[in-house]
Structures are given as C-alpha cells and as structure tokens.
C-alpha cells in the first residue's frame, strides 16, 4: 500500500506535477533553480510530445515557457536509470524541433533549459548542482546555442555556487512540512507550501 497523500513529499512525481501546474509556483521553482527573475510562465504538466508513431515520444514532467518564449523542461527524478545524459539530449532535440516554423531562421530559436531534480547524485561528485553548456574543448569558447542541461542533487554536500534559497528548496522537497517551509522565511518556499497544502 502506498503512502497516505498527507505524508507525500514534493519529490513525489504526482505531488510535484500537481504543485507545478500552478504557474506562479512553477515560476517560483524556476527562479530558485536558475537564480534569476523569470517573466510570467505557462506551465503544462505531463506534457506528451508525439511527433511520429515510428519514433519514441517524450513525456515532460513539467513543460513551461515564459513571455520571452524561453522553454523549460523540469523533471523530478527519484530513480538513477544511468541514462540521464542521453535523455537530456533527446529532450532538448524534441523541444527544439517544435520551436521553429517553416521559413523561420535558426537565430529565432529561444534559450532552452532541461532541468533534472534528482534525489541522488547523478555524477557521483557530491555537488548540489551540475550545469552543462556546450564549449569548445581546445579554446574554452562557448558554442552560444543558449541551452543548458542542469542536474540538481538534493543530497549534495558541495554547495559551491549554490544559493541558500536553493538549499532550502532541496530541504523542502525532501520533507514538505510546515516546519521546514517556515524555517528560513523564504517567500517563494512559503508560497510553494501553500500550494502543496
């Protein structure tokens, strides 16, 4: 028998999707995760992208886009399937293939973020976050494709470049209680908790 609904934490995929369909909550989570202001978002949970029956479809846990048409895919990941890097690649390709209409220039592609919130360490280095961008290995030149793949490890111990608010979010994801929500008086976490309640 599964856990009672009241005992679920935000790492539970169902509860995470239910909370993130609230567009203000989705925006709050994105702002904490990316440490930047984000304009109003449109959020879709369990969004299925099915282009052709001959190819694998994609089901995004949370697909969001903001007023500048920046796209965000946010995935809650509790099982280490060892396939996250290639899954990121596939998800980014699926986001991009639906971004341009015939005749539009590639310069019109907007930035895109693939975000995995993991309850385990996907790369085994103890970091709280792993941010990947495309770079030239020889000259350390950014490719400039405006994509990022970000993996968060809610149990990380290396907190370099991690905001206190992100650490509080990790704490709250693992234990989604009133006590944890009010501990640091973060306005965004308190709003997330109201939605969770």
């Amino acid at each position: 028998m599964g856990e009672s609904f009241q005992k679920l934490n935000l790492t539970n995929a169902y509860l995470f999707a239910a909370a993130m369909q609230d567009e203000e909550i989705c925006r709050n989570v994105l702002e904490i995760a990316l440490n930047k202001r984000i304009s109003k978002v449109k959020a879709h949970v369990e969004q299925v992208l099915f282009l052709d029956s001959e190819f694998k479809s994609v089901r995004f846990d949370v697909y969001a886009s903001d007023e500048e048409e920046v796209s965000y895919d946010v995935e809650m990941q509790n099982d280490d399937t060892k396939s996250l890097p290639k899954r990121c690649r596939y998800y980014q390709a699926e986001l991009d293939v639906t971004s341009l209409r015939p005749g539009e220039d590639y310069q019109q592609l907007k930035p895109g973020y693939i975000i995995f919130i993991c309850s385990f360490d996907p790369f085994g280095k103890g970091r709280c976050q792993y941010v990947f961008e495309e770079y030239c290995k020889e000259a350390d030149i950014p490719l400039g494709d405006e994509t990022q793949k970000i993996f968060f490890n809610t149990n990380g111990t290396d907190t370099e470049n991690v905001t206190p608010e992100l650490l509080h979010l990790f704490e709250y994801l693992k234990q989604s209680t009133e006590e944890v929500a009010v501990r640091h008086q973060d306005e965004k976490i308190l709003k997330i908790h109201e939605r969770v309640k």
Side-chain angles (χ1 to χ4, degrees):
M1 183 126 198
E3 286 183 276
S4 73
F5 191 73
Q6 290 78 14
K7 293 184 180 180
L8 293 179
N9 292 312
L10 203 50
T11 54
N12 174 274
Y14 173 79
L15 184 57
F16 183 73
M20 292 288 279
Q21 70 185 0
D22 180 307
E23 292 174 344
E24 183 181 3
I25 299 309
C26 182
R27 185 178 57 79
N28 284 341
V29 169
L30 288 170
E31 286 187 347
I32 293 169
L34 300 173
N35 192 28
K36 68 176 193 171
R37 297 278 305 145
I38 295 173
S39 62
K40 184 178 178 182
V41 299
K42 291 181 183 175
H44 308 277
V45 298
E46 298 191 356
Q47 176 78 19
V48 176
L49 188 59
F50 188 74
L51 297 176
D52 188 311
S53 62
E54 302 221 359
F55 297 99
K56 184 175 180 70
S57 64
V58 169
R59 185 189 60 79
F60 300 116
D61 286 357
V62 179
Y63 170 76
S65 60
D66 64 23
E67 291 178 327
E68 284 79 40
E69 299 178 17
V70 175
S71 59
Y72 308 89
D73 166 40
V74 186
E75 304 288 324
M76 180 59 66
Q77 190 71 32
N78 292 304
D79 298 318
D80 188 0
T81 61
K82 309 293 186 202
S83 63
L84 293 185
K86 291 210 172 167
R87 191 166 149 203
C88 268
R89 173 181 161 185
Y90 197 73
Y91 281 21
Q92 185 66 59
E94 293 293 312
L95 281 180
D96 288 344
V97 80
T98 59
S99 296
L100 293 178
R101 303 206 184 287
E104 289 184 325
D105 189 82
Y106 293 112
Q107 288 298 324
Q108 293 176 270
L109 271 177
K110 301 297 183 182
Y113 296 86
I114 307 292
I115 301 168
F116 278 87
I117 302 173
C118 303
S119 59
F120 56 90
D121 189 341
F123 300 100
K125 302 293 184 186
R127 299 189 65 83
C128 288
Q129 68 181 13
Y130 302 89
V131 180
F132 293 89
E133 293 182 351
E134 300 282 343
Y135 284 90
C136 172
K137 288 168 54 175
E138 293 78 13
D140 195 31
I141 300 168
L143 181 61
D145 65 352
E146 298 184 300
T147 64
Q148 283 189 353
K149 285 91 175 165
I150 304 169
F151 300 83
F152 291 111
N153 168 18
T154 60
N155 296 306
T157 54
D158 183 346
T159 59
E160 181 182 352
N161 300 321
V162 177
T163 65
E165 195 174 32
L166 182 59
L167 292 175
H168 190 199
L169 177 63
F170 289 172
E171 199 178 335
Y172 182 74
L173 287 166
K174 295 184 290 187
Q175 190 177 356
S176 305
T177 64
E178 183 88 22
E179 178 187 350
V180 173
V182 302
R183 185 170 294 154
H184 304 289
Q185 291 300 307
D186 290 334
E187 183 180 331
K188 290 174 186 162
I189 303 290
L190 292 170
K191 285 181 181 174
I192 293 167
H193 184 62
E194 285 304 308
R195 175 66 179 168
V196 168
K197 285 198 300 186

